[in-house]
Amino acid sequence: MIFDPQTLSYDDKGLIPVIAQDHETGQVLMMAWMNADAVTKTLQTGRVTYWSRSRQSFWIKGETSGHVQKLVDFRLDCDRDCLLVMVDQTGPACHTNRKSCFYTAVRDGAETELMAPLTD
Amino acid sequence: MIFDPQTLSYDDKGLIPVIAQDHETGQVLMMAWMNADAVTKTLQTGRVTYWSRSRQSFWIKGETSGHVQKLVDFRLDCDRDCLLVMVDQTGPACHTNRKSCFYTAVRDGAETELMAPLTD
């Protein structure tokens, strides 16, 4: 079946959550949002492109930082209201310079840092 | 630092997206939502408990299906607006009886099914 980005379920702001996962290690890197046009751009360019809610503009991941996400596989869930992109991540995915945004765990009721920022 | 569920960033409906990942295989299983009380219940019980947007009630994953998610690790992202739960998943996570909800890929512009439903 031909894929049409308009057949996804977007929220009341026209957005769909997107999970980015490292295609080699399986590490979950980040979660961000796309609108239908960002979905189209991501599939057309092979460069993961989100919609920035704070800037209200396209966010070609890594365009300024160089920490690009090359699309390896594009997946949608059963309800068509969440996406999973398998990516080849250059450098850290997180703006704190950590590989993943999920570097804090809650263990025994306390926040624990799991990863330090990468050093160049 | 002691973790307080109220310090997470919830959306205008009081919800935060939650990614569930198989702690052994790294497979991303599903994405659902929690409110602050569901976060508290999940941490207190060790049984992953979402907030069902359709039913407007707590959704103790697997309570009716038996396909429970035992919490192995609870993580939050840099912006505190997304959670990642590492889980021990009994049976399929998806209501279609597939291990993961992300069983559809978009390849060469077409939807492709990656996994068949599990058979008992």
Side-chain angles (χ1 to χ4, degrees):
Chain A
M1 183 169 62
I2 297 298
F3 173 70
D4 177 357
Q6 298 296 340
T7 63
L8 297 175
S9 288
Y10 300 91
D11 68 11
D12 51 11
K13 299 180 183 70
L15 302 175
I16 187 169
V18 185
I19 303 160
Q21 183 177 28
D22 186 294
H23 81 107
E24 281 188 340
T25 66
Q27 186 176 28
V28 173
L29 300 171
M30 57 182 285
M31 199 282 281
W33 299 80
M34 290 185 187
N35 58 15
D37 287 344
V39 169
T40 299
K41 282 180 188 286
T42 296
L43 288 168
Q44 283 179 347
T45 65
R47 285 275 302 273
V48 179
T49 302
Y50 301 102
W51 179 257
S52 169
R53 296 177 301 170
S54 55
R55 295 194 300 271
Q56 289 286 304
S57 61
F58 291 111
W59 167 26
I60 305 173
K61 175 69 180 165
E63 193 174 33
T64 52
S65 66
H67 301 151
V68 302
Q69 291 181 341
K70 186 177 165 193
L71 182 67
V72 176
D73 205 22
F74 182 101
R75 300 181 188 172
L76 46 126
D77 79 346
C78 49
D79 293 329
R80 307 178 77 85
D81 65 0
C82 185
L83 300 174
L84 173 66
V85 288
M86 311 297 286
V87 303
D88 179 356
Q89 170 73 55
T90 299
C94 184
H95 74 287
T96 66
N97 221 37
R98 291 171 174 89
K99 187 73 185 180
S100 163
C101 294
F102 297 94
Y103 56 83
T104 305
V106 176
R107 295 179 180 171
D108 298 323
E111 295 190 21
T112 307
E113 189 172 309
L114 304 178
M115 301 165 220
L118 298 172
T119 52
D120 292 326
Chain B
M1 184 167 66
I2 298 297
F3 173 70
D4 177 359
Q6 298 296 339
T7 63
L8 297 173
S9 287
Y10 300 93
D11 69 10
D12 53 9
K13 298 181 184 70
L15 301 176
I16 187 169
V18 184
I19 303 159
Q21 184 177 28
D22 186 295
H23 81 107
E24 281 188 340
T25 66
Q27 186 176 28
V28 174
L29 300 171
M30 58 181 284
M31 201 282 280
W33 300 81
M34 290 185 188
N35 59 13
D37 286 344
V39 169
T40 300
K41 283 179 188 287
T42 296
L43 288 168
Q44 283 179 347
T45 64
R47 285 277 302 274
V48 179
T49 302
Y50 301 103
W51 179 257
S52 169
R53 296 178 300 171
S54 57
R55 294 194 302 269
Q56 289 287 301
S57 62
F58 291 111
W59 167 26
I60 303 173
K61 175 71 179 163
E63 195 176 32
T64 51
S65 66
H67 302 151
V68 301
Q69 290 182 341
K70 186 178 165 191
L71 182 68
V72 176
D73 206 21
F74 182 101
R75 300 181 189 171
L76 45 127
D77 79 347
C78 51
D79 293 330
R80 306 179 78 85
D81 64 1
C82 186
L83 300 174
L84 174 65
V85 288
M86 312 296 286
V87 303
D88 179 358
Q89 171 73 54
T90 299
C94 183
H95 75 286
T96 67
N97 221 37
R98 292 170 173 89
K99 187 73 185 178
S100 164
C101 295
F102 297 94
Y103 56 83
T104 306
V106 176
R107 294 178 181 171
D108 299 324
E111 296 190 21
T112 307
E113 188 172 308
L114 304 177
M115 302 165 220
L118 298 172
T119 50
D120 294 324

